[in-house]
Amino acid sequence: MSVFSENFLWGGAVAANQVEGAYNIDGKGLSTSDLLPNGLFGEIVERTDKNSSLKDNGIDFYNLYPEDIKLFAEMGFKVLRTSIAWTRIFPNGDEKHPNKDGLDFYDHLFDEMLKYGIQPLITLSHFEMPMGIINKYGGWKNRKTIELFENYAVTVFDRYKNKVKLWLTFNEINIALHEPFTGVGLARNSSRQEIFQALHHQLVASARVVKHCHNIIEGSKIGNMVAAGLVYPLSCNPADVVQAMVQNREWLFFNDVQARGTYPSYMTRYFTENNISLEITEQDRIDLAETVDFLSFSYYMSGCATADENKKIQERGNILNMVPNPHLPASDWGWQIDPDGLRVLLNTLYDLYQKPLFIVENGLGAKDNLHSDGTICDDYRIEYLKAHIQQIKESIKDGVDVMGYTCWGPIDLISAGTAQMSKRYGFIYVDRTDNGEGSLTRMKKKSFDWYKKVIESNGEIL
Ligand code: BG6
C-alpha cells in the first residue's frame, strides 16, 4: 500500500502569463507582467509595439492547450494548476461587464482538462494585475482594489462553479516585500509603510474572496499561496538562530494571517519598531477571520541566516536575504538544492497550523540538451524531483496531511524571474530559444515516462 492517500493530487503547475502568450488577443488588457519583458526583477518598460517579450507568445498555450493537456493526461495528471489572467476577464480591472472572449477561453480550457478527469486548481492572481488599476487607482494601496478584485473573483466563481472546485487566491503573496510592482502594483521605491498597507488590503481581499468561494461554490476548497523562504541558522551561534527565526517570520506571517485569521503578535513589534501604522478597520478584522481551507506554497530551495553583517552575502533567488548554505549543491541558476528542507517545511507548517498542505510548486530549472535523435536525458531533473518526493513521503509518515503535489512547469515555459526559455522545468520540451526562435514543437523528455510511473504507482516507484 502506498504512503500517499488514494486521492493524492499528483500533477503540475503553470501560470497564465508564462505559457499563454496572446498577450493582447481577444480583448485582453495589459497587466504588470506585460511591462516586465526581462522578468520580475528586470526593468519596468512602457509597453509599445517595439519592445516585445518572450511572454507575448509564451509557449502559445492559448492555442496549443489541447495538445498539452493531452500529454499531461498521458502522464496521468489528477490536477493541473494554472491561473486566470485577470486582464482577460476585466481588461482594465474596473469594467462593468466581463470580457466574453476571456470567459469563453477558460471555459474551453477547463472543459479540456475535465475531459481527461484532470481537476483544475486555479490561482486568481499569479504575478499579474491590470495596469488599468495601477494607473487609475494606484494598485493595492487603494482600498478600492479590494472591491475590484472581489468583483473579478465573484465573476469567475459564478461562471466556473461547476467546473472548478480548487482555488488559490494570490500566488506567492510575500513577493511584494521583494518586488512591490508585481506583488501589489506599487513603485519599487515604495516605503515599507506603503507596501504593508497594500498587503493588508490584499490580505483582506483574499479573506473576503475565501468567503465568496465558500458561498458560491459547493464543495470548494480554497487556499493561500506563499513562497517558502526557509532559512536555517548559518551556525549554532544563538544570534544566528534568532536571526533565522526573524527571517522565517517574514514569510510565515502570511500563513498566520490567512490560516489563523489575525495578525500574529510578533508583527506588532515589527510594525512599531519600523514606524509602520496600518489602517485596519473593524470590518477588516471581521473579514480576516475567514480562513483558508488549506495552505499551499512553492519550494525550490532553502538558505541560511546570520547575524554577522560581514557574512550577509545576498544571493538572488526567488526569495531574497538568504546566505548560501556551505553543505548544499546549487542549480545552474544558483538555487541551492535541499530535499530535506521540504520535510522540515511540511512538518513546521503542519505543527503550526494543522491545516492540509498542498505543494503547488517545486522543480528544477535547468539547461537541457536536445540530442540529434530527438531525445533529452534529464536525469538531473528526475534526481531532484525524486529526492523531494521522497521527503514528502517522510513527512506523511511523520503524520503531516499533504493533499497534493504539482511540480512547477511540467512543460517548458518562460521563467518568471528572468523571462528565459532556456531555464527549463518541463517533462515536455518546447522548441523555442531565448531569442524567440523555434517551431514550438513539443517533445517528451526522459522524465516524462518517469513521472508517469510515479503517478501510476501513487508515489511507490520513484
Ligand atoms: C515561483 C513562481 O516564484 O517560482 C513561478 O510562482 C516561477 O511563477 C517559479 O516561474 C520559478 O521561478 P523562475 O524564475 O525560475 O521562473
Side-chain angles (χ1 to χ4, degrees), residues 428-446:
I428 302 164
Y429 186 91
V430 176
D431 178 29
R432 196 171 189 219
T433 65
D434 284 344
N435 301 326
E437 287 153 10
S439 61
L440 290 173
T441 305
R442 278 53 171 158
M443 279 168 268
K444 293 175 191 173
K445 303 182 194 174
K446 186 174 176 187

Side-chain angles (χ1 to χ4, degrees), residues 140-262:
W140 281 98
K141 77 170 179 235
N142 192 333
R143 265 184 183 272
K144 171 82 180 165
T145 305
I146 302 178
E147 218 179 275
L148 297 171
F149 184 72
E150 270 185 280
N151 185 43
Y152 155 61
V154 166
T155 304
V156 295
F157 290 159
D158 265 328
R159 176 82 173 206
Y160 307 121
K161 62 176 172 238
N162 297 321
K163 299 181 183 177
V164 183
K165 302 290 180 184
L166 292 171
W167 295 86
L168 300 177
T169 57
F170 296 95
N171 182 63
E172 295 191 343
I173 189 165
N174 49 328
I175 193 78
L177 297 178
H178 309 287
E179 218 306 89
F181 178 65
T182 290
V184 284
L186 292 188
R188 287 182 172 155
N189 59 2
S190 299
S191 65
R192 290 269 121 174
Q193 164 72 38
E194 289 166 317
I195 294 172
F196 273 102
Q197 186 64 56
L199 272 170
H200 172 69
H201 294 152
Q202 212 167 58
L203 287 164
V204 170
S206 176
R208 286 200 197 167
V209 156
V210 167
K211 192 169 192 170
H212 291 305
C213 187
H214 290 151
N215 290 340
I216 297 172
I217 311 183
E218 219 190 300
S220 61
K221 285 203 170 86
I222 182 160
N224 70 336
M225 204 296 204
V226 170
L230 179 70
V231 287
Y232 306 124
L234 185 63
S235 75
C236 52
N237 182 333
D240 285 357
V241 178
V242 171
Q243 183 61 29
M245 176 189 81
V246 169
Q247 263 177 244
N248 279 319
R249 283 175 168 176
E250 281 176 17
W251 57 273
L252 281 172
F253 142 70
F254 295 90
N255 292 310
D256 277 312
V257 180
Q258 293 179 295
R260 293 198 168 120
T262 54

Side-chain angles (χ1 to χ4, degrees), residues 9 77-81 113-114 117-121 163 165-166:
L9 293 166
F77 278 25
K78 315 274 182 228
V79 65
L80 176 66
R81 174 182 176 223
M113 294 184 202
L114 295 170
I118 299 177
Q119 274 205 67
L121 163 63
K163 299 181 183 177
K165 302 290 180 184
L166 292 171

Side-chain angles (χ1 to χ4, degrees), residues 15 18 40 81 126-127 171-172 225 227 298 300 318 335 361 408 413-418 423 425:
Q18 292 171 258
L40 280 192
R81 174 182 176 223
H126 190 126
F127 289 172
N171 182 63
E172 295 191 343
M225 204 296 204
S298 59
Y300 293 90
N318 66 347
W335 293 15
E361 283 186 36
W408 180 251
L413 39 69
I414 316 297
S415 73
T418 48
K423 191 177 186 187
Y425 285 88

